[in-house]
Amino acid sequence: MDRIDEIAGLIARHVPADGFHTTPIARLTLARSSTVTIPMPNVYRPQLCFVAQGQKEVSLGDQLFTYSPGRYGVVTYDLPVIGHVVEATPANPYLCLFIEFDPVMLADLAHRIPPPVGVFAPIGKTVTDADPALLDSVLRLMRLLDDPAAFPVLAPLAEQEILYRLLAGPDGGRMRSVTSNQGRVAQVGRAIAWIGKNFRQRFSIETLAAEVGMSPSSLHEHFRAVTAMTPLQFQKQLRLQDARSLMLVEDIDVASAALRVGYESPSQFSREYRRLFGEPPARDVARLRTLPIMAGVA
């Protein structure tokens, strides 16, 4: 059986219902969708995402990434994205697995593996075709779901092999940036984390630059290279995603959501919300509440 088909079969067997499903193996999550989904915002954590069946699209700023069977994405920072499944049917559902990166394991391996030759683009997300060695290591991890007596011992070894393949592959330089606390990319990582904690508050580029030890112009340049957004665009996307979640989960009105996430003007909030999500806030939330799976799978 083809490796990708076998991985898809294992996911399908262990997740008979649509949605995201944790597994007994730490940091491994499986996803399934029997229908296409609407574009929905999400914050991707540092992780590997591998698609075994179906297709999805994820946008980060002005960049669009397409996942199809056998392709994997690497995320090296907390990034606000918009994703949706674009190919799925009940007979052939979208099937995907996520492996959250263990920073301790990753740092240990990075110190033992020679760094890749050449310069890598600092963008915090990529999508690549999996090579046979990576497919083999992913398949070994997935097979352990059928051997519960073995996975406490063997799952960390299989996870380590996956991280090794990533570090030794085309994403090796980018993966190493997760473990480094030096250089411009590491400073951008600290800026991303700072915005993630403070996005509801007003701040200037000068304030953020001082927090991470960069000049405003250097921060702007390197931040955009990593996230495909400026710091203020990044903050805006986090605010709007947060407001959408508040209106859906807490059932609060548009003006209250705008104030909660840091907007002083509800009209400005509504304009920016419509630009990002395509509809005014109240109409968008009302539509989402009619959907059988509000969050979809992305």
Side-chain angles (χ1 to χ4, degrees):
M1 180 185 290
D2 177 85
R3 298 179 186 90
I4 299 171
D5 289 342
E6 186 174 351
I7 293 170
L10 287 163
I11 297 174
R13 186 149 48 79
H14 286 279
V15 288
D18 285 358
F20 293 94
H21 302 263
T22 58
T23 71
I25 297 176
R27 293 177 292 281
L28 174 64
T29 300
L30 308 179
R32 177 187 184 123
S33 178
S34 58
T35 65
V36 298
T37 63
I38 64 170
M40 287 292 290
N42 201 348
V43 176
Y44 275 10
R45 309 300 179 189
Q47 62 183 1
L48 165 73
C49 170
F50 176 84
V51 170
Q53 186 170 283
Q55 188 168 299
K56 76 173 178 178
E57 293 180 348
V58 174
S59 60
L60 171 66
D62 57 3
Q63 299 205 26
L64 180 67
F65 300 90
T66 300
Y67 293 75
S68 54
R71 304 199 83 201
Y72 71 92
V74 163
V75 179
T76 52
Y77 299 98
D78 291 357
L79 296 174
V81 301
I82 295 177
H84 63 132
V85 176
V86 297
E87 185 180 300
T89 66
N92 293 287
Y94 163 82
L95 300 169
C96 174
L97 66 86
F98 297 88
I99 300 173
E100 181 183 344
F101 293 146
D102 179 341
V104 175
M105 186 183 293
L106 190 58
D108 177 63
L109 286 170
H111 282 104
R112 292 191 280 145
I113 300 171
V117 177
V119 178
F120 69 94
I123 184 73
K125 175 172 177 53
T126 59
V127 175
T128 312
D129 293 322
D131 63 21
L134 180 59
L135 289 172
D136 282 339
S137 60
V138 171
L139 184 53
R140 271 190 281 276
L141 180 68
M142 286 298 301
R143 283 173 175 164
L144 291 174
L145 290 174
D146 290 331
D147 191 358
F151 69 65
V153 175
L154 298 183
L157 300 178
E159 181 184 1
Q160 204 172 110
E161 182 184 0
I162 291 168
L163 294 181
Y164 169 80
R165 298 298 177 191
L166 293 174
L167 284 165
D171 291 302
R174 190 173 293 102
M175 294 282 291
R176 286 171 181 273
S177 69
V178 179
T179 67
S180 174
N181 60 5
Q182 304 293 324
R184 295 302 192 200
V185 174
Q187 288 173 302
V188 169
R190 291 195 286 274
I192 290 170
W194 190 91
I195 296 174
K197 293 177 182 176
N198 299 280
F199 67 87
R200 291 186 175 186
Q201 311 301 320
R202 294 183 64 183
F203 65 86
S204 66
I205 294 298
E206 289 75 18
T207 298
L208 179 59
E211 285 283 340
V212 299
M214 300 176 75
S215 70
S217 60
S218 180
L219 172 62
H220 189 280
E221 175 189 352
H222 289 90
F223 194 98
R224 188 172 181 83
V226 170
T227 68
M229 288 175 268
T230 68
L232 295 182
Q233 288 171 333
F234 190 94
Q235 178 201 26
K236 182 188 300 183
Q237 192 151 327
L238 288 177
R239 280 182 167 183
L240 294 171
Q241 289 187 12
D242 189 31
R244 197 187 208 194
S245 177
L246 288 171
M247 289 185 287
L248 282 168
V249 176
E250 299 187 18
D251 196 24
I252 63 176
D253 59 62
V254 173
S256 298
L259 292 173
R260 285 269 293 273
V261 301
Y263 277 88
E264 296 178 0
S265 167
S267 60
Q268 180 190 2
F269 166 76
S270 294
R271 286 194 302 272
E272 294 183 352
Y273 188 104
R274 184 169 188 164
R275 286 194 204 104
L276 181 62
F277 298 120
E279 290 184 307
R283 188 187 304 166
D284 176 57
V285 171
R287 178 179 57 84
L288 291 175
R289 289 200 176 108
T290 68
L291 300 177
I293 303 175
M294 287 196 308
V297 177

